[in-house]
Amino acid sequence: MSRTTTMTVRVSGALSEFVSVNVGEGGAYENVSEYIRDLIRRDKERAEREAFDRLKAELNRAFAAPEESYKPMTATEVISRNRRA
């Protein structure tokens, strides 16, 4: 079940003006909440894309490594190693 959280965000100056241009009549969003939700979604997608790109790079390095450099590891060892990285 999803949970709704109410947050208060304060912006002023140039940031406030920028938000005003993007919200309401002539803007891309009907209200500030819609704008903020979209920004959060985009940031979440960016973070997920970066994590996926790191995984792809790790896999590419692994597949490019010579077979004799491989060593057996348990899932626990892999998870522990990746937490340190």
Side-chain angles (χ1 to χ4, degrees), residues 18-78:
F18 186 78
V19 170
S20 294
V21 167
N22 287 288
V23 173
E25 203 168 311
Y29 302 93
E30 288 186 28
N31 56 58
V32 174
S33 292
E34 182 183 313
Y35 186 28
I36 297 301
R37 282 191 298 271
D38 187 50
L39 290 172
I40 294 169
R41 278 187 206 99
R42 288 177 192 217
D43 192 41
K44 182 177 180 286
E45 289 170 358
R46 178 201 50 79
E48 290 169 349
R49 191 170 42 254
E50 287 175 359
F52 184 70
D53 289 344
R54 285 191 303 275
L55 174 61
K56 283 194 315 188
E58 181 73 22
L59 289 172
N60 285 333
R61 281 191 297 277
F63 286 120
E67 193 167 328
E68 60 271 6
S69 68
Y70 291 170
K71 70 173 192 170
M73 294 179 80
T74 67
T76 302
E77 291 170 325
V78 171

Side-chain angles (χ1 to χ4, degrees), residues 1-9 33 36-37 40:
M1 176 181 254
S2 70
R3 184 179 75 138
T4 300
T5 302
T6 300
M7 298 178 182
T8 301
V9 178
S33 292
I36 297 301
R37 282 191 298 271
I40 294 169

